[in-house]
Amino acid sequence: MATGPSFGNAEMVMLAATLLLSGGLVFYAAQSFTDWRREEDDTGVEALRSTVAGQNNVALVVPEGPSIDALAAAVGLQALCSEWGVTGRLFAEGPVTGEDSKTFSNIFDLELTVIGAATDSLTDCDAAIAVGGGGAVPRLSNNPPVVAVIRHRPTAEENILTVTPTDDGATSTTVTHLLNDEGVVPDQRVATALLHGIRAGTREFRRANGPNDYEAAGFLHAYADLGRIEDLRSPGMSGDTFDVISDAIANRERRASFAVTNVGAVPSVSALEEAADTMLRLEGVSTAAVFGIHEETIVVSCRAEDVRTNAFDILDSAFETSETTGGNTDAATSRVPLGLFAQVNSDYEETLDMLIDASTRKALFESFESS
């Protein structure tokens, strides 16, 4: 039996914040959190159960270039589906690009199928659930039909179950609540994935929306492998990525709290994403956009730490004609194909680079200022 004084909800949150800021994690081990229950009704998990139960295979679909939060949430939903006797299979709308997300996928041995490379594999699924992200919900040509959306961002969808609590700072928080509401005790793998997803999605609780994130993390702490989480927090960095980050810092231009930079040709989209994350650490910068050329496409990665700024909206407004813009409030990516300009003679490459640099910076700053 736990001893000592009992805390109210507000007191527990204040204590959590204090210990987190001081680097402590002992708070999470408090026995009172192992018996935590969300102080809301469980209509979300009941609706999801009635939607999913009875299916054989359900596709759990994360966005292209999925965040750690989206991947972790999918792992948690896979466990929830298993509790209901349903096989949950992991899919992504596009490749996993971020180095941290690749590391996460490898460590947790995710069997993740990229839809663009294997569309036929979806035909074995009876239904699909969109997990994480903040852009459009995938339609998958209605084969299988998307029956639910699980994310911590609001979405306007008709005839689809939406579990999108805005009080949660990460989709992993939302999924942890669903598991807890159903009375499922996560195994170490699932708990570790979800706890890391919450920490990544809330940027180590700097973007926590309220007590839900702390409560969910506290619940998971008793079951997670904390040593593995520390390993996940410090993935290695390739030399190419280091060079891109160096170019991003050197070429940056800042207006107010928004920094924009051009890194030229890049070996991978993940290098852009790493550079955008790094830009947020610079003094006075709370929103950053890094762009470059990858495979005859202008790729722009935007990150926002200011709760008043929406990374997805900035890119969506700046590049209305882009081939794809995906992501959410915190992180988004846009791709603008060069088209015929990709065939420009080498004699004019410098002029083309100057035009791309000037027009992209102008579009980004104008979008930020009007947001």
Side-chain angles (χ1 to χ4, degrees), residues 127-143:
I129 299 175
V131 186
V137 173
R139 295 305 175 189
L140 309 179
S141 300
N142 209 37
N143 186 23

Side-chain angles (χ1 to χ4, degrees), residues 101-314:
S101 295
K102 290 179 182 178
T103 300
F104 181 93
S105 299
N106 290 333
I107 287 181
F108 289 96
D109 195 24
L110 301 191
E111 295 182 4
L112 185 69
T113 302
V114 177
I115 292 174
T119 52
D120 292 344
S121 59
L122 277 167
T123 59
D124 295 334
C125 297
D126 307 303
I129 299 175
V131 186
V137 173
R139 295 305 175 189
L140 309 179
S141 300
N142 209 37
N143 186 23
V146 177
V147 297
V149 181
I150 313 293
R151 60 171 58 153
H152 69 289
R153 302 295 179 193
T155 184
E157 291 292 332
E158 296 182 0
N159 304 318
I160 296 178
L161 171 65
T162 57
V163 182
T164 56
T166 56
D167 288 341
D168 294 349
T171 303
S172 295
T173 298
T174 302
V175 173
T176 300
H177 287 316
L178 292 173
L179 285 167
N180 191 266
D181 290 344
E182 189 65 0
V184 177
V185 176
D187 61 25
Q188 186 180 72
R189 174 178 176 271
V190 173
T192 304
L194 286 171
L195 180 54
H196 185 56
I198 293 172
R199 293 176 66 159
T202 60
R203 297 188 185 276
E204 298 294 336
F205 299 94
R206 293 195 299 274
R207 290 184 62 89
N209 284 359
N212 290 345
D213 299 308
Y214 295 108
E215 291 171 343
F219 168 72
L220 295 167
H221 189 273
Y223 310 107
D225 181 344
L226 303 183
R228 175 165 290 187
I229 288 178
E230 290 305 311
D231 293 340
L232 283 163
R233 292 177 67 189
S234 305
M237 181 183 295
S238 68
D240 287 339
T241 298
F242 187 87
D243 291 340
V244 170
I245 291 174
S246 177
D247 290 340
I249 294 174
N251 299 329
R252 72 188 185 279
E253 178 183 356
R254 199 184 102 193
R255 298 182 189 175
S257 62
F258 186 40
V260 174
T261 187
N262 179 8
V263 295
V266 292
S268 65
V269 174
S270 64
L272 279 172
E273 295 171 342
E274 293 281 342
D277 283 330
T278 300
M279 293 290 287
L280 287 181
R281 302 175 191 171
L282 300 179
E283 184 178 359
V285 175
S286 60
T287 307
V290 178
F291 64 94
I293 306 296
H294 178 67
E295 296 181 349
E296 300 183 352
T297 301
I298 303 172
V299 183
V300 189
S301 181
C302 185
R303 296 289 186 271
E305 206 165 40
D306 190 332
V307 295
R308 299 166 297 178
T309 306
N310 187 310
F312 179 85
D313 287 348
I314 288 174

Side-chain angles (χ1 to χ4, degrees), residues 59-130:
L60 304 172
V61 184
V62 298
E64 178 180 356
S67 65
I68 288 176
D69 179 31
L71 291 170
V75 171
L77 284 172
Q78 199 172 36
L80 191 58
C81 286
S82 179
E83 179 72 15
W84 296 331
V86 178
T87 299
R89 299 172 56 190
L90 306 186
F91 292 85
E93 293 184 79
V96 178
T97 54
E99 292 297 330
D100 52 358
S101 295
K102 290 179 182 178
T103 300
F104 181 93
S105 299
N106 290 333
I107 287 181
F108 289 96
D109 195 24
L110 301 191
E111 295 182 4
L112 185 69
T113 302
V114 177
I115 292 174
T119 52
D120 292 344
S121 59
L122 277 167
T123 59
D124 295 334
C125 297
D126 307 303
I129 299 175

